[in-house]
């Protein structure tokens, strides 16, 4: 009897002790402060922006002349545009280019987000830099070396050259494969006629540009190589299946994305076996389903120039821009005249007011844009005069290794 009473006593004590420990644990947990909520600084920045400031980030536009004019001032100060693209028509010499870049930065100084200052500097026949700067060889010549280290060094030299002038974005490298002899628009702008060469050299140039603090832009997705029509003139058509694209055209882009691509430019190409109605620039199937979901690209997507006839022959100024944004592009590149650029921006603003484009959609695009600008420390800090001799020495060193 005594043993049974003793066992009951022990069991009761154990239960009471267990309850006490559980109660103590609960009290401690209740007194423990909750962890602070995770704050995303980019979202905090977006909250501070007006709707007009957010919409402005969705555009990179061209300008007329060799100095900032009234239209450019209005685009920057009133419309809060995200960036400028410079062409040969804007560039006279090194001194003038530095002055122009600094003027653009000065014009933007009161805006909350600094400008993308972009250019097409591929080497070979696609060059915009001042004439006193030595020209880099074409991508075709770089591809013929077959050496990734040369591609990387080329990217670094090119990037440092652009950075010295205050430019922060380059619409290169070209990731198109030049596999159509009738293709007049790509040709020697491509690194080669096979995906292996284009992929290895393209991603090497990309890494070189990145390490020189220049944003590279892979173009023209999903591949402009197998076309016989110049998209500046009309809309090229490629009759290829998804399987065919994946086994060829898309390979260089896929390799670039896996290596950390920041930005991709869409090509004005119709692929009716993927999307019967819309060219790639305006196709959610190609941007969202293929580029975003299948290839897992989370960076910034930009259109090719929306004023090119491949698009403008069929769509109005504003309509094309809105369709591109709705399809998944983050930025519309517009090289229209300034009056049409104002028309384009107004059209998008009206679409937001009427609910055709939601502020939530805009916020997602602006998030990616600001994230990229922060990554590369884009600022409106003015640049000093450049040393042309130093730039040319670096370029000459790369040219010697590539050969002619």
């Amino acid at each position: 009897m005594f043993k049974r009473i003793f066992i009951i006593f022990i069991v009761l004590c154990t239960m009471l002790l267990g309850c006490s420990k559980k109660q103590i644990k609960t009290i401690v947990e209740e007194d423990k402060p909750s962890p602070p909520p995770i704050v995303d600084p980019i979202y905090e920045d977006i909250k501070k922006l007006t709707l007009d400031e957010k919409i402005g980030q969705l555009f990179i536009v061209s300008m007329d002349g060799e100095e900032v004019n009234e239209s450019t001032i209005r685009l920057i100060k009133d419309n809060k545009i995200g960036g400028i693209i410079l062409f040969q028509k804007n560039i006279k010499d090194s001194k003038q280019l530095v002055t122009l870049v600094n003027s653009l930065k000065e014009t933007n100084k009161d805006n909350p987000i600094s400008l993308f200052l972009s250019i097409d500097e591929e080497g070979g026949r696609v060059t915009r830099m001042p004439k006193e700067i030595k020209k880099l060889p074409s991508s075709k010549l770089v591809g013929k070396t077959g050496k990734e280290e040369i591609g990387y060094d080329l990217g670094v030299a090119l990037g440092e050259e652009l950075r010295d002038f205050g430019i922060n974005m380059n619409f290169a490298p070209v990731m198109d494969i030049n596999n159509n002899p009738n293709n007049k628009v790509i040709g020697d702008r491509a690194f080669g006629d096979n995906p292996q060469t284009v992929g290895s050299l393209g991603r090497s140039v990309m890494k070189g540009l990145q390490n020189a603090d220049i944003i590279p832009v892979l173009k023209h997705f999903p591949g402009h190589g197998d076309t016989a029509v110049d998209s500046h003139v009309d809309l090229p058509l490629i009759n290829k299946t998804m399987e065919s694209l994946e086994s060829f055209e898309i390979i260089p882009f896929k390799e670039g994305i896996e290596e950390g691509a920041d930005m991709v430019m869409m090509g004005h190409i119709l692929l009716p076996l993927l999307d019967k109605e819309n060219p790639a620039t305006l196709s959610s199937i190609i941007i969202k389903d293929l580029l975003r979901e299948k290839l897992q690209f989370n960076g910034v997507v930009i259109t090719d120039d929306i004023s090119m006839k491949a698009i403008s022959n069929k769509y109005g100024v504003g309509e094309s821009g809105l369709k591109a944004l709705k399809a998944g592009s983050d930025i519309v590149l517009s090289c229209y005249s300034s009056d049409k650029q104002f028309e384009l921006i107004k059209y998008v603003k009206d679409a937001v007011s009427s609910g055709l484009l939601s502020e939530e959609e805009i916020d997602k695009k602006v998030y990616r844009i600001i994230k990229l600008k922060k990554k590369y420390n884009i600022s409106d800090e003015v640049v000093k005069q450049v040393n042309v001799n130093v730039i040319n020495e670096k370029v000459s060193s790369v040219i010697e290794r590539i050969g002619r």
Side-chain angles (χ1 to χ4, degrees), residues 70-354:
E70 183 180 347
S71 293
T72 307
I73 292 172
R74 283 180 58 203
L75 284 163
I76 293 174
K77 289 195 170 185
D78 297 341
N79 291 276
K80 319 295 183 183
I81 54 163
I84 296 284
I85 180 172
L86 298 174
F87 289 99
Q88 194 68 62
K89 66 181 181 180
N90 307 123
I91 298 171
K92 178 183 177 182
D93 54 38
S94 296
K95 184 177 180 180
Q96 174 269 334
L97 178 54
V98 170
T99 300
L100 173 59
V101 167
N102 285 338
S103 295
L104 290 167
K105 289 171 176 278
E106 179 68 20
T107 305
N108 191 67
K109 69 177 183 179
D110 293 329
N111 286 335
I113 304 175
S114 299
L115 290 169
F116 283 134
L117 293 171
S118 62
I119 200 165
D120 288 301
E121 193 62 26
E122 302 172 7
R125 60 190 162 106
V126 179
T127 179
R128 322 292 192 201
M129 297 302 285
K131 292 180 180 178
E132 62 267 32
I133 302 296
K134 284 192 175 182
K135 306 307 176 190
L136 287 160
S138 68
S139 296
K140 180 179 179 180
L141 289 173
V142 178
K144 281 185 175 181
T145 69
K147 296 180 179 179
E148 292 186 14
E149 62 270 23
I150 289 181
Y152 175 82
D153 290 344
L154 173 79
V156 171
L158 177 53
E160 290 178 347
E161 173 184 320
L162 297 179
R163 189 184 65 204
D164 285 350
F165 281 99
I167 294 166
N168 50 48
M169 177 185 290
N170 189 19
F171 292 118
V174 172
M175 301 299 261
D176 305 310
I177 304 167
N178 188 43
N179 63 320
N180 186 334
N182 296 318
N183 192 328
K184 297 177 181 178
V185 70
I186 300 300
D188 62 357
R189 295 169 64 193
F191 291 102
D193 58 6
N194 64 83
Q196 291 72 34
T197 298
V198 175
S200 64
L201 271 297
R203 69 170 183 263
S204 298
V205 172
M206 179 192 82
K207 297 301 288 186
L209 284 165
Q210 288 175 324
N211 287 342
D213 292 325
I214 297 295
I215 302 168
V217 182
L218 310 189
K219 63 184 185 183
H220 308 80
F221 189 83
H224 207 309
D226 193 11
T227 62
V229 174
D230 184 346
S231 53
H232 293 85
V233 178
D234 206 349
L235 180 62
L237 185 148
I238 299 178
N239 271 311
K240 291 195 174 182
T241 63
M242 178 67 76
E243 292 74 19
S244 179
L245 289 171
E246 287 182 308
S247 65
F248 200 79
E249 275 85 1
I250 289 176
I251 290 175
F253 292 97
K254 186 173 185 292
E255 292 184 5
I257 291 167
E258 289 172 349
E259 285 290 322
D262 296 293
M263 199 163 173
V264 170
M265 175 181 280
M266 301 304 299
H268 297 325
I269 314 157
L270 183 65
L271 298 108
L273 298 181
L274 275 67
D275 188 331
K276 294 180 180 179
E277 300 295 327
N278 303 296
T281 316
L282 312 179
S283 171
S284 63
I285 294 172
I286 295 174
I287 299 175
K288 293 179 180 177
D289 297 350
L290 177 54
L291 180 58
R292 290 287 191 207
E293 294 185 20
K294 197 156 194 174
L295 298 186
Q296 293 293 295
F297 178 65
N298 298 312
V300 173
V301 175
I302 186 170
T303 71
D304 201 347
D305 174 17
I306 209 74
S307 72
M308 288 163 61
K309 290 184 179 179
I311 299 297
S312 63
N313 279 349
K314 182 175 181 181
Y315 301 98
V317 175
E319 181 188 10
S320 58
L322 179 61
K323 282 179 70 69
L325 293 170
K326 290 294 293 181
S329 288
D330 299 308
I331 299 176
V332 175
L333 176 64
S334 171
C335 302
Y336 276 116
S337 58
S338 58
D339 59 329
K340 289 190 175 182
Q341 289 169 350
F342 290 120
E343 180 185 341
L344 167 63
I345 295 170
K346 183 180 184 303
Y347 191 98
V348 172
K349 286 183 178 181
D350 289 345
V352 176
S353 298
S354 64

Side-chain angles (χ1 to χ4, degrees), residues 133 157 160-161 164 386-397:
I133 302 296
E160 290 178 347
E161 173 184 320
D164 285 350
V386 301
N387 189 322
V388 172
N389 291 331
V390 171
I391 292 174
N392 283 338
E393 285 175 8
K394 293 177 181 178
V395 172
S396 295
S397 174

